[in-house]
Amino acid sequence: MQREVEIEVESCDKAGNFIGYMFVDDKNMSVELVKEGLATVHFSAEKGKYFDQLSRVEAEAKAARKRLWKDYVETVVEKEETTDVTDSNLTETTPTVTEAVVTHIENCTRVWVQRCSDGPSLISMMNLMRSDLISSPPLAGSYTPRTGDLCAAVFSEDNNWYRAKVLKTHK
């Protein structure tokens, strides 16, 4: 049974998966599942714009003992004694600022940067790699690339050697 749905994306997780909500006939499916006792509210929903609604329907499902909540027994947690936070027990921290250049964006949560202060050593390393590969080039057929391999390759635009990653191989 196919249905037309609407997806509302709020963010991405560390693996690059979308975090958000699905609507069918203008109904938020997260809210509907929680309301019927078929799901619980995940802690990450606290940041979402539907958290209040999700919390309310979860409390209603608990009270009505629906599905997941049929055998639920609320436990009373005693509050721990807390200490007041005052200016005297706070330490001020200053963020460290590092100048960097973005060199690659893998997805919405993984970005590669190069510290600008490392520039001279990177140039030195690249020049050494290039001179080694020019003076002793790899033998033709001595390397069988596999997807995901890190290697050195000649860039056709400037005929220089660069660090590279094999994205796809042809059989």
Side-chain angles (χ1 to χ4, degrees):
M1 180 164 91
Q2 295 183 355
R3 294 186 184 249
E4 193 167 310
V5 300
E6 184 180 320
I7 305 293
E8 186 177 312
V9 178
E10 281 194 334
S11 64
C12 285
D13 66 10
K14 291 179 183 176
N17 300 305
F18 293 124
I19 306 294
Y21 303 93
M22 180 176 75
F23 294 83
V24 177
D25 299 328
D26 291 326
K27 288 184 179 177
N28 183 331
M29 289 295 100
S30 299
V31 171
E32 295 301 311
L33 289 168
V34 171
K35 184 192 304 182
E36 293 304 317
L38 295 167
T40 61
V41 179
H42 192 264
F43 71 89
S44 63
E46 290 176 3
K47 300 173 190 160
K49 69 180 187 180
Y50 298 101
F51 179 67
D52 291 339
Q53 188 178 10
L54 287 164
S55 297
R56 183 177 40 78
V57 296
E58 184 179 57
E60 291 168 3
K62 278 182 189 177
R65 299 206 174 281
K66 289 187 175 180
R67 294 174 180 87
L68 289 171
W69 307 109
K70 69 179 181 186
D71 298 323
Y72 176 72
V73 178
E74 190 161 353
T75 55
V76 178
V77 179
E78 291 184 27
K79 283 191 171 184
E80 293 180 20
E81 192 174 311
T82 60
T83 57
D84 290 335
V85 177
T86 63
D87 289 339
S88 62
N89 60 6
L90 288 179
T91 57
E92 194 170 314
T93 60
T94 305
T96 304
V97 177
T98 303
E99 210 173 312
V101 175
V102 176
T103 56
H104 180 70
I105 299 173
E106 197 164 313
N107 59 41
C108 66
T109 60
R110 181 168 276 174
V111 178
W112 302 95
V113 297
Q114 196 77 45
R115 285 190 299 241
C116 290
S117 62
D118 293 344
S121 60
L122 176 63
I123 291 168
S124 174
M125 179 195 69
M126 291 298 295
N127 288 337
L128 179 62
M129 180 189 78
R130 286 182 182 129
S131 66
D132 284 350
L133 287 165
I134 290 168
S135 65
S136 303
L139 298 172
S142 65
Y143 171 65
T144 304
R146 292 187 311 252
T147 302
D149 281 357
L150 298 177
C151 61
V154 175
F155 183 48
S156 60
E157 293 293 315
D158 63 6
N159 214 29
N160 275 320
W161 287 91
Y162 292 93
R163 298 172 296 162
K165 182 177 184 178
V166 178
L167 300 178
K168 185 176 180 181
T169 59
H170 302 284
K171 294 184 181 193

